Amino acid sequence: MDEFFDLPTLIVIAIAVFVLFRLRSVLGTRTGTERPPVERRKPADPVAKDDVVVPMQPRGTAAPELDDDRRNRKLEAEIEQFARSDAELATGLRAVAEVDPTFTPKSFLEGAKQAYEMIVTAYASGDRATLKNLLEKDVFDGFQSAIAEREAAGQTVDFTFVGLPKVEFSDAEYDRKNVLVTIRFHAEVVSATRDKAGTLVEGNADQVQTIADEWTFQRNPKSRDPNWKVVTTSQLD
């Protein structure tokens, strides 16, 4: 018994008791009522979509009729700007906007510019898939036929779209079924057509040329498809 309670043994026992006490004070004890680890940290409330998107109007400060009034004034200002004092064109643009609430002259003109560049570039490269999505069937068939003739002759086109220095509305109307908007494009391009041997047969690879076209875009305002398609094309002198 005296050997069991010698001084070194008592020191070791004292140290062990001290360590256990410190571990208990730091880690605590389980009572059986603790929440699982995933519940201990409450997740943040999901961010509402309205808080992500910056509202164009402060909530609750503008009545719907005032919003409509602002939109109408903005639309009328755009019509006056793009109609260029042409009363008949202004009337046509108003008719289109009345049956197609998505239409505004400014946004339409920007979309028409993009469509024009895509179409003339796709035509030069023979990209039928792009043309098919943007052209009405009869117009696509005409472009497709010209591409096929060019390919059969072994011709290729080196084409660079430079820009559109002038784009303007020419006509607009609603024919009780479709809305139709006609645009005049004055484009600058570099185009050179070569035969199988690489000989230049048309155009100039080192010179910018100006081309002028008048295209009509059409859409059924009752359709769920928001896309416009080109239904007529003509080259201006």
Side-chain angles (χ1 to χ4, degrees):
M1 294 294 290
D2 292 340
E3 293 180 357
F4 180 78
F5 289 102
D6 61 3
L7 183 59
T9 302
L10 290 174
I11 293 173
V12 171
I13 293 173
I15 292 173
V17 170
F18 176 77
V19 170
L20 288 173
F21 177 79
R22 291 295 297 167
L23 287 173
R24 179 184 178 86
S25 64
V26 172
L27 300 178
T29 59
R30 294 187 64 85
T31 66
T33 60
E34 294 85 357
R35 287 178 297 174
V38 294
E39 294 180 4
R40 291 177 184 174
R41 183 176 180 180
K42 183 179 180 181
D45 294 333
V47 178
K49 292 183 179 180
D50 289 343
D51 294 331
V52 175
V53 180
V54 178
M56 300 303 294
Q57 293 283 352
R59 290 185 178 91
T61 61
E65 59 270 17
L66 294 181
D67 291 343
D68 291 341
D69 185 54
R70 290 192 188 97
R71 283 194 292 268
N72 290 336
R73 289 201 304 268
K74 183 176 182 295
L75 174 63
E76 187 60 29
E78 288 188 15
I79 290 175
E80 292 180 4
Q81 175 188 352
F82 291 104
R84 309 178 313 281
S85 302
D86 185 332
E88 185 176 351
L89 175 57
T91 299
L93 291 173
R94 291 188 190 98
V96 171
E98 184 176 352
V99 296
D100 188 349
T102 66
F103 174 85
T104 65
K106 183 178 180 179
S107 62
F108 181 87
L109 208 59
E110 290 303 314
K113 291 177 184 178
Q114 296 177 25
Y116 182 85
E117 179 179 355
M118 290 175 64
I119 290 170
V120 295
T121 302
Y123 172 70
S125 64
D127 182 356
R128 293 171 173 82
T130 296
L131 294 174
K132 192 170 186 179
N133 289 329
L134 297 170
L135 305 176
E136 187 268 338
K137 185 179 183 305
D138 289 343
V139 178
F140 171 75
D141 289 344
F143 277 59
Q144 149 72 6
S145 177
I147 292 172
E149 290 180 8
R150 189 176 69 207
E151 291 174 342
Q155 297 177 346
T156 58
V157 180
D158 296 327
F159 183 85
T160 301
F161 186 87
V162 178
L164 285 164
K166 185 178 180 181
V167 183
E168 59 187 3
F169 287 94
S170 175
D171 192 22
E173 66 172 313
Y174 172 50
D175 66 1
R176 302 301 175 186
K177 180 180 180 182
N178 298 305
V179 285
L180 300 99
V181 179
T182 303
I183 305 292
R184 290 195 188 106
F185 299 95
H186 297 265
E188 292 179 340
V189 303
V190 177
S191 180
T193 302
R194 303 181 185 278
D195 61 16
K196 293 180 180 179
T199 304
L200 183 68
V201 295
E202 184 179 354
N204 190 325
D206 301 315
Q207 182 177 350
V208 175
Q209 60 176 317
T210 300
I211 57 177
D213 293 303
E214 189 171 78
W215 292 5
T216 298
F217 296 80
Q218 176 181 288
R219 177 178 178 269
N220 184 339
K222 295 182 180 180
S223 171
R224 293 184 178 180
D225 184 357
N227 296 318
W228 295 69
K229 288 198 173 184
V230 178
V231 293
T232 62
T233 64
S234 60
Q235 189 170 4
L236 304 176
D237 296 332

